[in-house]
Amino acid sequence: MSHCCPCASASSSTAPFFLPSIPDSSSCRSGSGGAFSAAVGRSKLRCGGGPRRGQATVAAGSKDGGSGGTAGGEKGEDDAPAFNPFGFVTDNPSSRSAIQLPAVPAEDGNVGQMLYRIEDKGREYGSYVRAGEFRWFVRETGSPDARRGTIVFLHGAPTQSFSYRVVMAQMADAGYHCFAPDWIGFGFSEMPQPGYGFDFKEDEFHKAFDDLLGTLNITEPFFLVVQGFLVGSYGLTWALNNSSKVLKLAILNSPLTVSSPVPGLFQQLKWPLFGEFTCQNAVLAERFIEAGSAYMLKLEKADVYRLPYLSSGAPGFALLEAARKINFQDVLSRISAGFSSNGWEKPILLAWGISDKYLPLSIAEEFKQANPGVVKLEAIEGAGHMPQEDWPEKVVKALTSFL
């Protein structure tokens, strides 16, 4: 069986994040006109056209034929299902298809083999750097002698710097020196245990980022690009505290005003016990990305976003701690006031994916109205919550024109 992505009905910010799958249909969620069809080569469109490559087509224990059967015959209806320690991931048919589990694990590997298949993926342009007390994974393109300056790209939660790989490669070709780190606790960077030197609070993220800039020898003002929730917001509050270090600021689909909705994922993470359960969902990141976009991630991309959460419980608990420590309304209030006409003079670009299911274009328009002389808004047609992933070429075009 194949499934449409459950986020097709996740337009409400308060709707539960993990929704049951629905049967195939002939309809697809589209972007805007021709721009949508042109993006097929980048990401699969949301539709009922069939499963991803390698996805199970018969659920374990199914009485249908094919790989669902066993050598000893078909399983009867009254056979009790075997205990599954990974049931919180695989018992949901949509999650099963998302993490590519086979119908019969003995025929096609297990979680360990899955990790072996994907463990070397997603490290384009990256290396490890120790800054202060922590080990960061940092992607770098271009040369320190780049004639147009340095750009630092910051991702949001629950994703990683992998989303910038295409943009930073093309910006390096345009003459920039680019860095994109995974925040501490995210992606491939160090995952400190809460309470042992890092409590995932805003000021700690700021200090760690300052240490990283020193280690990377970024001493001159640079261009800053920020996207996303939570740690993305911390990138913006860092900029407010360090305006002299920022030449220009580009913001891609981030909460910017007190009216910005908070997705259900972050609300669920704050709930006792349920948050601990939610943070250990191995497909959490990819589902969040797909729920905010008009597209379904291709398998090779989903593998990378899934890998940290599949290989260890630490990234999930890091996300849990960060989500419970943040006061969204306080942070958004400071961002909204700090970048208003009374507080910020550096040029700002809002490169906004207009198909974002979390943050509508009206958020960007409201933010621009507070400082119209500084803020430039460029709507990116066909892109969702992560335009750098959905349509990197359009993001590059917007950035090169702005910078």
Side-chain angles (χ1 to χ4, degrees), residues 135-178:
R135 191 166 178 252
W136 294 71
F137 181 79
V138 182
R139 301 174 197 272
E140 179 181 5
T141 60
S143 165
D145 299 325
R147 67 188 186 282
R148 292 186 172 175
T150 298
I151 308 176
V152 177
F153 297 88
L154 296 179
H155 69 85
T159 63
Q160 53 175 288
S161 63
F162 177 73
S163 64
Y164 286 115
R165 66 201 177 280
V166 178
V167 171
M168 63 188 301
Q170 294 186 17
M171 293 305 292
D173 291 339
Y176 295 92
H177 188 201
C178 304

Side-chain angles (χ1 to χ4, degrees), residues 66-310:
S67 60
T70 63
E74 297 176 347
K75 181 180 290 188
E77 288 184 355
D78 55 352
D79 289 346
F83 170 70
N84 180 5
F86 296 98
F88 62 89
V89 173
T90 60
D91 284 351
N92 183 322
S94 187
S95 294
R96 166 179 289 277
S97 66
I99 66 171
Q100 312 299 312
L101 282 183
V104 181
E107 288 186 0
D108 194 24
N110 52 35
V111 173
Q113 290 174 318
M114 188 190 316
L115 285 170
Y116 180 77
R117 174 175 65 83
I118 67 177
E119 64 182 352
D120 292 327
K121 287 188 175 183
R123 291 174 169 80
E124 290 90 338
Y125 317 117
S127 61
Y128 284 95
V129 174
R130 178 161 290 279
E133 300 179 9
F134 302 107
R135 191 166 178 252
W136 294 71
F137 181 79
V138 182
R139 301 174 197 272
E140 179 181 5
T141 60
S143 165
D145 299 325
R147 67 188 186 282
R148 292 186 172 175
T150 298
I151 308 176
V152 177
F153 297 88
L154 296 179
H155 69 85
T159 63
Q160 53 175 288
S161 63
F162 177 73
S163 64
Y164 286 115
R165 66 201 177 280
V166 178
V167 171
M168 63 188 301
Q170 294 186 17
M171 293 305 292
D173 291 339
Y176 295 92
H177 188 201
C178 304
F179 294 97
D182 287 348
W183 281 107
I184 296 299
F186 293 82
F188 301 116
S189 285
E190 187 171 345
M191 310 285 173
Q193 184 177 349
Y196 290 86
F198 199 80
D199 287 328
F200 296 90
K201 296 179 180 178
E202 179 181 6
D203 59 342
E204 293 175 315
F205 281 109
H206 286 180
K207 181 182 183 304
F209 184 57
D210 283 329
D211 290 341
L212 178 65
L213 292 177
T215 298
L216 297 177
N217 198 30
I218 301 176
T219 58
E220 299 294 327
F222 59 91
F223 302 111
L224 180 63
V225 179
V226 177
Q227 186 273 331
F229 288 91
L230 211 160
V231 285
S233 295
Y234 290 164
L236 294 177
T237 55
W238 179 91
L240 287 174
N241 295 339
N242 297 272
S243 60
S244 63
K245 298 180 182 179
V246 178
L247 287 173
K248 294 183 178 182
L249 174 64
I251 305 174
L252 316 178
N253 293 69
S254 301
L256 299 173
T257 66
V258 292
S259 60
S260 300
V262 178
L265 168 63
F266 300 111
Q267 299 175 30
Q268 291 172 9
L269 288 170
K270 288 180 177 289
W271 299 343
L273 298 181
F274 192 75
E276 281 79 359
F277 174 86
T278 300
C279 78
Q280 293 304 303
N281 191 322
V283 297
L284 179 152
E286 65 193 84
R287 306 297 284 204
F288 183 83
I289 295 169
E290 290 181 340
S293 173
Y295 309 106
M296 185 176 76
L297 289 170
K298 289 184 176 181
L299 173 60
E300 59 268 21
K301 298 178 183 179
D303 278 343
V304 179
Y305 289 111
R306 180 187 318 138
L307 177 56
Y309 298 93
L310 188 63

Side-chain angles (χ1 to χ4, degrees), residues 17-35:
F17 177 63
F18 299 107
L19 303 176
S21 58
I22 58 177
D24 288 344
S25 68
S26 59
S27 64
C28 298
R29 175 185 294 170
S30 66
S32 303

